[in-house]
């Protein structure tokens, strides 16, 4: 049965690196994972939606953040596959992983704009961390994604 999931398509998604004025990165802890894993905002692209529009929508839906400006669309797409134990569970079993377009954005607001207690909350905590630490907190099957994003962002902000 699990092998059937390997033929599923990849979900089209976006990820957002949000930097504050000190170049710290926004990360949040998922409600549905009791372990100490944190992630940057990300989500699916709706049918006929542009990547950038999806990024702004997902950021608002997950964090209430709207006071941002685009710094750069990161080059390329990054793919991750779900581990076998999550196949058929995540995304109602429709996808085997995700193909993501990432964006780097500057947060222009104040921290009190950030509200993770949204209509459909995904996070239970949030914080700002150093870019170098994003790979210390991520779930293992997304580690290569965060390593790639970290490298691309480092090249832009340095």
């Amino acid at each position: 049965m699990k092998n059937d999931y390997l033929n599923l398509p990849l979900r089209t998604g976006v990820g957002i690196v949000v930097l504050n004025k000190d170049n710290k990165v926004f990360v949040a802890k998922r409600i549905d994972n009791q372990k100490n894993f944190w992630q940057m905002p990300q989500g699916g692209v709706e049918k006929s939606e542009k990547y950038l529009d999806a990024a702004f929508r997902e950021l608002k839906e997950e964090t209430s953040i709207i006071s941002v400006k685009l710094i750069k669309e990161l080059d390329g797409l990054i793919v991750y596959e779900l581990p076998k134990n999550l196949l058929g569970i995540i995304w109602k079993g429709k996808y085997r992983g995700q193909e993501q377009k990432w964006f780097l954005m500057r947060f222009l607001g104040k921290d009190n704009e950030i509200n993770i207690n949204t209509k459909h909350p995904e996070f239970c905590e949030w914080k700002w961390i150093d870019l170098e630490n994003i790979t210390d907190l991520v779930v293992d099957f997304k580690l290569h994604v965060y390593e790639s994003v970290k490298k691309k962002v480092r090249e832009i902000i340095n």
Side-chain angles (χ1 to χ4, degrees):
M1 181 70 177
K2 288 282 187 196
N3 286 341
D4 295 340
Y5 295 124
L6 300 178
N7 296 322
L8 291 171
L10 292 169
R11 180 180 188 227
T12 302
V14 293
I16 308 102
V17 182
V18 180
L19 295 177
N20 69 9
K21 63 181 174 31
D22 301 316
N23 281 344
K24 301 270 187 185
V25 177
F26 176 92
V27 293
K29 187 176 179 183
R30 291 194 59 86
I31 286 176
D32 59 5
N33 192 328
Q34 298 306 309
K35 297 184 178 152
N36 196 31
F37 295 125
W38 297 69
Q39 69 179 48
M40 293 178 279
Q42 62 179 61
V45 177
E46 295 174 0
K47 193 172 184 167
S48 74
E49 187 178 33
K50 292 183 168 77
Y51 284 123
L52 184 57
D53 293 337
F56 283 122
R57 177 185 51 75
E58 284 291 338
L59 187 59
K60 182 180 179 185
E61 285 177 4
E62 293 183 0
T63 68
S64 305
I65 293 174
I66 56 171
S67 300
V68 289
K69 72 172 184 180
L70 177 66
I71 296 173
K72 186 167 183 9
E73 176 181 322
L74 302 185
D75 294 334
L77 296 170
I78 305 174
V79 173
Y80 72 84
E81 304 270 344
L82 292 172
K84 286 186 172 57
N85 65 311
L86 294 179
L87 285 171
I89 298 169
I90 305 290
W91 306 307
K92 299 176 184 163
K94 294 181 185 176
Y95 305 100
R96 73 175 195 277
Q98 195 160 205
E99 181 178 62
Q100 297 177 313
K101 169 56 78 178
W102 280 83
F103 295 89
L104 177 60
M105 297 188 184
R106 173 74 64 198
F107 180 56
L108 304 172
K110 299 201 179 316
D111 284 2
N112 64 1
E113 174 180 330
I114 301 168
N115 178 12
I116 57 173
N117 295 318
T118 59
K119 186 175 181 180
H120 303 287
E122 294 187 31
F123 304 121
C124 57
E125 294 178 59
W126 70 270
K127 61 186 175 181
W128 297 105
I129 65 169
D130 289 326
L131 175 65
E132 294 307 312
N133 298 122
I134 64 170
T135 49
D136 298 339
L137 304 170
V138 68
V139 66
D140 60 350
F141 64 90
K142 292 183 187 174
L143 180 59
H144 71 284
V145 174
Y146 278 52
E147 286 171 341
S148 177
V149 168
K150 179 167 76 172
K151 181 178 183 232
K152 291 175 183 189
V153 169
R154 191 186 304 126
E155 290 169 0
I156 294 166
I157 63 175
N158 285 342

